[in-house]
Amino acid sequence: MQWDFASVLANSDALLVGAMGTLRIFAICLVAGLGLGLVVGLGRYSRRRWFYWPATAFVEFFRNTPVLVQILWFYFALPILMPFSISPLAAASLGISLNSAAFSAEIYRAGIQSIERAQWDGARALGMSFLQAMRRIILPQALKRMTPALTNRAIEIFKMSTLASAVAYVELLQQAKLIASLNFNPIEAYTAVAVIFFACLWPMVQLTYFLERRLARDE
Amino acid sequence: MYVWDFTPVLANAGLLAQGLVNTLKVTGTALACGLVLGLALALMRLSRRRLAAWPAGFVIEVFRTTPPLVQLFWFFFALPLIIGVEMTPFLAAAVTFSIQSSAFFAEVFRGGIVSIERGQWEAARAIGMTQPQAMRRIILPQAVKRMIPAFMERAIELMKTTTLVATIAYADLLFAANEIAQKTFRPLETFTVAALIYFVVITAFSLAARRLERRFAVSGETTVH
């Protein structure tokens, strides 16, 4: 058989639109997922029951259901309870963000727990409140330890963004589907998209390896 | 105010049950093939021969760094045209998830094998074992025990990933739920029930995994790296 990437290149504008869509949903889910994850992670760390239990239930539920099920639930089921419709972008972002929040919450919790008690005592001795100690003393140190795990999460979010194509959100994979069905070139279209994803994710994976090695050396 | 009504879902419980069976079928197949292939890839990557190590490293890196849905589409839509073979959704899913999980399993195997102390190799050599004998009888049995928690975690991840087969019309649990939702016009109830089924099954697996992990921790092997 004959490989013909010209038919994919001819549609590079469609791929560009898809790439913008992928980047948009990645950015939204990265900020929302890791941000909400910090709140939930603090909840998991808290000793107060009315803070701890909802956070735990959230984490368990979103970690123990497939993210595609969550996306389809937000797209098909949630609008029935809501007075407004939900766009593919909103449904996919909700599913991926909440799922990532649950996973990153456990990273934050483990990171905070890994900081020695003495750091807390030291902050207290200087007259800091709990929140001040958390913000100024504990989190900066914990974040350093968490960086490799959080970069890993970012990679997962990037990969999960392809699931948005299941609700017809315009991203790279969705555009590949479109190109393949219009030009009858699924081999080239899907290979091209696979290569694009690999090219984007490979540097991120190397960065994670580098951060892991540096952390192992520093500690 | 919306009135919940689960009777249309209950009337189709058989479809959901069949879907769950199909989900478990894909998961089981991919798990079995993935473990065998993963061990082979790990041994190749650990090999000192570049001709074995590099291709294994390539497969592992490619399948770990591309989205599983892209892989699935590639195997379902592109591969059949290249090799001229009819591809069923089940076959595409089994092949994709076997290779994909083998890439992750390979790294677990490799980590476990590398974690065994040099002394174990030296002792095996001292009593006259060859490299493959030492690997099979001394190193792997100890390494596998340390790897079990990571395996369980990967297996659970795999089960969640198999929901992607619904996008190529394989009748797994999610696909069945989608069918029922369209047929009965009850997407809220159907997708909620499907999510709950996944939650119950996956939670049961992860509780079992945690219990097993604790037992290994008690028996003196650290499972936390």
Side-chain angles (χ1 to χ4, degrees), chain A residues 1 3 57 60-70 72-73 76-78 80-81 99 103 153 155-156 158-160 162-166 173 177 184-188 190-195 197-198 201-202 205-206 209, chain B residues 2 4 45 58 61-70 73-74 77-79 81-82 100 104 107 156-157 159-161 163-167 174 178 182 185-189 191-192 194-196 198-200 202-203 206 210:
Chain A
M1 62 149 288
W3 290 70
E60 288 299 322
F61 185 78
F62 280 95
R63 271 161 56 107
N64 288 351
T65 44
V67 64
L68 187 57
V69 175
Q70 292 157 16
L72 293 189
W73 194 91
F76 291 115
L78 186 62
I80 290 172
L81 294 174
N99 187 275
F103 276 94
R153 263 296 113 204
I155 293 168
E156 285 303 312
F158 203 96
K159 290 201 254 174
M160 273 193 264
T162 53
L163 300 187
S165 68
L173 185 58
K177 264 197 247 181
F184 309 106
N185 59 349
I187 303 176
E188 291 84 357
Y190 290 119
T191 305
V193 166
V195 170
F197 272 107
F198 186 77
L201 285 165
W202 173 256
V205 172
Q206 298 314 307
Y209 289 159
Chain B
Y2 184 76
W4 292 67
R45 196 175 199 181
F58 180 75
E61 294 303 325
V62 165
F63 279 87
R64 275 163 53 101
T65 47
T66 47
L69 192 55
V70 174
F73 278 19
W74 197 88
F77 295 113
L79 185 66
L81 295 177
I82 296 177
Q100 201 242 352
F104 283 96
E107 289 302 276
I156 290 166
E157 278 305 307
M159 186 170 183
K160 288 192 270 179
T161 311
T163 50
L164 305 190
V165 299
T167 60
L174 182 58
N178 203 10
Q182 286 179 10
F185 303 106
R186 288 277 171 191
L188 179 58
E189 290 84 348
F191 280 110
T192 304
L196 284 177
Y198 275 113
F199 178 72
V200 168
I202 292 169
T203 306
S206 48
R210 246 177 257 173

Side-chain angles (χ1 to χ4, degrees), chain A residues 111-137:
Chain A
I112 294 169
Q113 265 171 357
S114 80
I115 302 297
E116 300 74 23
R117 270 225 71 74
Q119 297 287 330
W120 283 104
D121 298 340
R124 174 99 357 138
L126 289 173
M128 288 188 191
S129 70
F130 174 84
L131 279 179
Q132 281 176 327
M134 183 65 96
R135 209 175 59 237
R136 298 192 191 157
I137 309 293

